[in-house]
């Protein structure tokens, strides 16, 4: 049995889905002092709401709430179903520890006490 909905009902369902997706998603893009909410993200890029998104290009920072996830080099791709799609040219994960340029001995002390 097939079920058909009117155009008004389908539009209402889509609006409700978009609203729920925006509420539960904590991802944000920060460009300088400006912050934009991310609707969706995937391995090759992310999307922003078309009404709030400028034509971004260059380096941006990706956050999950207050946690800095990555620095990305992005380009604008297309507009699709009310979403502005951006693609990653480079995606660099932010490290929580500072990288070292030497080999640490496995039995070396963690800290020196005086």
């Amino acid at each position: 049995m097939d079920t058909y909905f009117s155009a008004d009902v389908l539009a209402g369902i889509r609006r409700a889905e978009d609203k729920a997706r925006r509420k539960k998603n904590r991802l944000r893009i920060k460009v300088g002092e400006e912050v934009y909410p991310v609707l969706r993200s995937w391995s090759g890029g992310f999307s922003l709401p078309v009404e709030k998104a400028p034509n971004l290009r260059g380096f941006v920072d990706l956050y999950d709430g207050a946690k800095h996830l990555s620095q990305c080099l992005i380009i604008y791709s297309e507009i699709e179903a009310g979403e502005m799609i951006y693609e990653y040219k480079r995606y660099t994960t932010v490290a929580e520890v500072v990288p070292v340029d030497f080999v640490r001995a496995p039995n070396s002390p963690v800290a020196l006490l005086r």
Side-chain angles (χ1 to χ4, degrees), residues 26-108:
R26 297 173 23 146
L27 291 178
R28 305 278 183 261
I29 291 292
K30 186 174 180 186
V31 183
E33 297 298 317
E34 298 293 321
V35 178
Y36 303 100
V38 174
L39 290 178
R40 295 182 300 127
S41 83
W42 54 94
S43 62
F46 62 91
S47 69
L48 301 178
V50 75
E51 64 272 0
K52 293 183 180 182
N55 191 358
L56 296 177
R57 181 180 192 123
F59 283 102
V60 298
D61 293 307
L62 180 64
Y63 288 87
D64 182 7
K67 183 178 180 186
H68 192 192
L69 296 177
S70 65
Q71 291 181 327
C72 313
L73 178 61
I74 62 167
I75 58 169
Y76 163 74
S77 177
E78 63 182 323
I79 294 177
E80 180 181 300
E83 297 179 356
M84 193 168 280
I85 308 294
Y86 296 92
E87 293 179 359
Y88 299 129
K89 288 186 85 171
R90 188 184 89 186
Y91 183 92
T92 306
T93 304
V94 175
E96 293 186 12
V97 294
V98 178
V100 294
D101 59 351
F102 56 89
V103 176
R104 289 188 177 162
N107 58 357
S108 65

